[in-house]
Amino acid sequence: DVKVTQSSRYLVKRTGEKVFLECVQDMDHENMFWYRQDPGLGLRLIYFSYDVKMKEKGDIPEGYSVSREKKERFSLILESASTNQTSMYLCASNSGDNEQFFGPGTRLTVL
Amino acid sequence: DAKTTQPNSMESNEEEPVHLPCNHSTISGTDYIHWYRQLPSQGPEYVIHGLTSNVNNRMASLAIAEDRKSSTLILHRATLRDAAVYYCILRDRSYSGGGADGLTFGKGTHLIIQP
């Protein structure tokens, strides 16, 4: 059974903290994605990566950075968390132009 | 990107067929129609996709209008586990970046299944 896992289902952090969200896929996919999902705004792409050490900005990269040191792992970093980054964060992966496989999501609350 | 329009919500009874409509009047010739769904407290999952011909898989069927300006996702026999938000999106296959192309979901259709 193919799998995308995320390090936490729920996370609570304080304003100004550095936050790491980890995503791991076991399907040997070259592409990995980070999205955030907010009520009324749908799914929005933050960053994606098409290969190890390669990254591209999505639609809303401000306030975020990413790291892909290994093919199976894609990390999302909030350098200094702010309350407007409270959201559901979803990681996904795919190969070529095939369907994307999503993780269960991390609900992040920044106080 | 071409936009899609879906009803906000639909209700159906268990074990009955469900037809979820999607309008995409500005679809281009290179746009594929994709459907994903998101069950409560889970990440989205792929359901089906097509270009011009109707498509069937183990989860659902996709009926595409002849002019491609609309499509319908068909769940042949809905169960309580099919209660989810269903998203209809268009994916342009002329995109030079290949598969590294993010998805854009709108609000989707909230499908409610009554026992």
Side-chain angles (χ1 to χ4, degrees):
Chain A
D1 204 18
V2 296
K3 226 172 203 176
V4 178
T5 56
Q6 295 182 228
S7 49
S8 306
R9 289 302 301 270
Y10 300 93
L11 208 53
V12 180
K13 296 291 181 181
R14 298 210 172 270
T15 302
E17 279 192 80
K18 191 168 185 175
V19 182
F20 292 87
L21 302 182
E22 305 283 344
C23 174
V24 177
Q25 51 95 3
D26 64 0
M27 296 165 279
D28 201 35
H29 286 163
E30 64 269 22
N31 304 318
M32 296 188 75
F33 307 81
W34 274 107
Y35 298 89
R36 62 178 283 177
Q37 187 174 34
D38 301 286
L41 295 176
L43 200 71
R44 293 180 291 169
L45 181 65
I46 305 171
Y47 266 99
F48 65 94
S49 168
Y50 53 90
D51 201 352
V52 174
K53 296 191 186 294
M54 306 304 288
K55 61 186 180 185
E56 292 284 344
K57 292 180 179 179
D59 300 318
I60 50 163
E62 297 79 20
Y64 304 93
S65 62
V66 289
S67 171
R68 189 146 180 225
E69 296 296 318
K70 293 185 177 181
K71 190 176 186 180
E72 67 270 19
R73 188 179 297 269
F74 192 35
S75 303
L76 180 69
I77 303 152
L78 287 66
E79 294 289 343
S80 177
S82 63
T83 54
N84 62 13
Q85 292 178 310
T86 291
S87 186
M88 169 69 83
Y89 289 89
L90 290 158
C91 174
S93 71
N94 78 344
S95 179
D97 60 2
N98 297 315
E99 69 268 24
Q100 292 188 17
F101 293 86
F102 283 82
T106 296
R107 188 167 292 283
L108 172 67
T109 302
V110 182
L111 302 175
Chain B
D1 286 342
K3 283 194 170 180
T4 63
T5 305
Q6 301 176 254
N8 287 334
S9 66
M10 288 184 65
E11 202 166 311
S12 183
N13 294 320
E14 200 176 7
E15 299 189 5
E16 288 185 0
V18 179
H19 290 233
L20 295 163
C22 181
N23 287 320
H24 27 79
S25 58
T26 59
I27 191 170
S28 76
T30 52
D31 283 332
Y32 278 72
I33 302 156
H34 286 241
W35 284 80
Y36 282 75
R37 72 178 185 180
Q38 189 169 16
L39 279 63
S41 302
Q42 294 189 28
E45 65 174 343
Y46 166 83
V47 178
I48 200 167
H49 77 280
L51 181 63
T52 55
S53 304
N54 294 345
V55 185
N56 300 297
N57 67 18
R58 63 174 179 83
M59 289 180 72
S61 296
L62 176 60
I64 301 171
E66 203 168 325
D67 63 4
R68 300 211 324 126
K69 292 183 185 295
S70 66
S71 59
T72 302
L73 180 71
I74 302 165
L75 307 179
H76 293 285
R77 203 158 164 252
T79 69
L80 295 176
R81 291 195 73 250
D82 292 318
V85 180
Y86 286 78
Y87 299 98
C88 168
I89 60 174
L90 303 180
R91 300 272 285 159
D92 185 356
R93 276 303 166 262
S94 66
Y95 175 71
S96 59
D101 176 21
L103 302 175
T104 301
F105 287 4
K107 295 183 180 178
T109 297
H110 184 199
L111 177 63
I112 299 162
I113 304 295
Q114 297 288 356

